[in-house]
Structure formats: C-alpha cells, structure tokens
Amino acid sequence: MELFDYLQTIRKRIWLIVLLIVFSCTASGILFAQSNHPQYQALSKIVVNKTNAADGKLGVDPSSVSANIMLVNTYKQLITSEPILQDVLAQNTQLHLSIGQLEKLIKVSSIVSSQVVTITVKDKSYERAARIANTVARVFKDDLLKIMNMDNITILSEASPNATTEPIQTSFWLVLIVSFIVSAAASILLAFLVDYFDRTLYSEEDVERVLGLYPLVTISRMKQKTIRSVRSHAATKKVGEPKHVNLSQ
C-alpha cells in the first residue's frame, strides 16, 4: 500500500477513529476525577556505612565502601520484607493496614554507586506518611543486626511529621494527552484491521485494484425515494411497454 492508500483508509474509517478517541478521553477524564485523591509524600534517608576505629580515631574504611555499595541492593529488598513490615505494624497498630497494603505505600530507591537509600511513603495523610517512613528506617536499622548480624546503618534524615507540605498531584491534562495518543494509535490500528477484513467494493478504483478489471457499467448512489419510484413503475407497467424513469429525483 502507498501513502495515499493509507490516507484513504483513515479517511474511510474516520468516524470509528474519532468515536474511539472521544470515548477513551471521556472515560479517562471521568476515572481520573473519581480516583484522584490528594496524596502526600514523606521521605526518610539512611546511609549504608561502617566506621572503624584506628589509632583511637573514628574513620571510614575505604575498602569497605565498595562492599557497602554492593549491599545497598540487598538492603532495598530487606526494607520491604515481611519481618520488617510486621515490626512496623506492631509499632503502629493504629494504621489498620495489612502487610500487602503497607508494602504498596513504600518505595525504596537509591542512586547508582551511592550508599544513601531513600525510603519514600505516599499516603492521603502527610502525618501518617511521615510516621511510616520514620518507623521503617528505625525498625530496619534495629532489625538488621538480628537478620544479617551487621550494624552498618545510619539514619541520615527523617521526615518531619509537623511539616507543611503540598499534596502531589497528577496533571489532568497529562492524563488526557496520554489517553489521546494511546487511543489514536489503537483506533488507527483497528481501522486498518477492519479495512483489511472488509471485502466490500465501494468504488470503481476498488474493483480495478482487487479484480484487475475496469468496470464498464456503474450504478450511482440512489435515494430511497427514487428506489421506491422505480419499484412502483416496474410493478405497474405493461409487458413490452417502454417506460422512462427519471433517476435524478
């Protein structure tokens, strides 16, 4: 198919494309309005590091830095493990959350080759998000000694429960733009699929393209009133009597 054929297919199915785009954007807007509740974000940061005493002075052992960086990925998995989350819930019985629900609120991240691990908690209440983030950091620091027999965690910073913060929001226009792009691509693909399986010949060009034959006779589109008139004349005329019907009505 050439570019002209693609454009013709899109033009032929433009009603389907527009309908799907409008439906998708409308549904996305309604779902966004119904499910968009203000959410707050709280951060706590920990450092994976071990200081050693040498000649009576505390210092960082350079040889252990690489080992600590390698441990970061392991610690990221342990922070959201079931034993840690169970202890967090035990210290915050007022949360009324399951382990699975609590895990969904927590995101653990770090920068490549960094010893700093960020614990991010999103919740409808900033105070509760801050409490969870701080508790996770403290519980992990305390439990790590029991789990891995290691004590190389330092709490770098904690979320302030009384801080004034603005809720994080997803842009309504961003949702519509993404919905438009996805629905447009899907509807155009569907239009090509429908056209591919549609074997109806709509024009002389379709007959010539599909059959390789040029049509000698064509019947133009007729109005319903004209069709009824032709049927009426055909039913009432006598055999052998010529009859002329004006098809331009």
Side-chain angles (χ1 to χ4, degrees):
M1 293 181 69
E2 298 179 356
L3 178 60
F4 179 77
D5 296 324
Y6 290 118
L7 295 178
Q8 282 292 96
T9 301
I10 294 175
R11 180 175 176 273
K12 188 190 305 181
R13 308 291 179 183
I14 191 65
W15 60 269
L16 175 64
I17 296 173
V18 172
L19 182 64
L20 289 177
I21 290 176
V22 171
F23 175 79
S24 177
C25 291
T26 303
S28 298
I30 293 174
L31 290 175
F32 178 82
Q34 291 179 346
S35 60
N36 185 37
H37 302 293
Q39 278 198 325
Y40 296 87
Q41 179 175 281
L43 306 176
S44 288
K45 295 184 178 182
I46 60 176
V47 179
V48 182
N49 190 28
K50 179 66 176 179
T51 57
N52 296 325
D55 299 329
K57 297 180 180 180
L58 289 177
V60 177
D61 182 6
S63 62
S64 66
V65 173
S66 298
N68 289 329
I69 292 176
M70 294 176 63
L71 285 171
V72 166
N73 288 330
T74 301
Y75 288 175
K76 286 164 63 175
Q77 298 295 322
L78 287 175
I79 288 173
T80 55
S81 63
E82 185 173 339
I84 301 297
L85 297 184
Q86 282 180 340
D87 287 349
V88 171
L89 291 175
Q91 296 185 21
N92 294 271
T93 55
Q94 72 278 12
L95 292 178
H96 303 294
L97 296 172
S98 65
I99 292 178
Q101 291 172 330
L102 178 59
E103 184 178 0
K104 291 180 180 179
L105 300 179
I106 302 171
K107 178 183 178 182
V108 184
S109 60
S110 65
I111 301 175
V112 178
S113 300
S114 173
Q115 296 173 247
V116 178
V117 177
T118 302
I119 301 171
T120 305
V121 177
K122 293 182 180 180
D123 194 75
K124 297 177 183 178
S125 167
Y126 173 76
E127 182 182 356
R128 192 166 85 151
R131 187 186 308 118
I132 293 174
N134 294 339
T135 305
V136 169
R138 294 168 189 165
V139 167
F140 179 68
K141 182 180 183 301
D142 296 338
D143 288 5
L144 185 61
L145 185 61
K146 296 182 295 184
I147 296 174
M148 296 186 63
N149 197 27
M150 298 183 71
D151 185 18
N152 60 344
I153 293 295
T154 302
I155 297 179
L156 180 63
S157 63
E158 292 188 340
S160 175
N162 299 321
T164 303
T165 60
E166 296 293 331
I168 55 175
Q169 295 180 341
T170 303
S171 173
F172 175 74
W173 294 110
L174 178 61
V175 172
L176 285 185
I177 291 173
V178 172
S179 176
F180 175 82
I181 294 174
V182 173
S183 60
S187 58
I188 291 175
L189 177 61
L190 179 61
F192 281 110
L193 288 175
V194 172
D195 188 73
Y196 178 79
F197 290 105
D198 185 6
R199 299 304 181 186
T200 305
L201 303 179
Y202 293 94
S203 64
E204 297 94 331
E205 290 78 8
D206 291 342
V207 175
E208 186 176 4
R209 176 174 55 83
V210 175
L211 302 179
L213 302 174
Y214 187 80
L216 300 178
V217 179
T218 62
I219 300 176
S220 60
R221 189 180 297 274
M222 299 174 62
K223 296 181 180 179
Q224 191 66 29
K225 179 180 178 182
T226 303
I227 296 175
R228 288 197 298 267
S229 177
V230 171
R231 288 176 177 174
S232 176
H233 283 53
T236 57
K237 77 172 185 176
K238 298 179 181 179
V239 177
E241 180 183 353
K243 197 70 176 180
H244 299 283
V245 179
N246 184 10
L247 297 180
S248 62
Q249 296 180 357

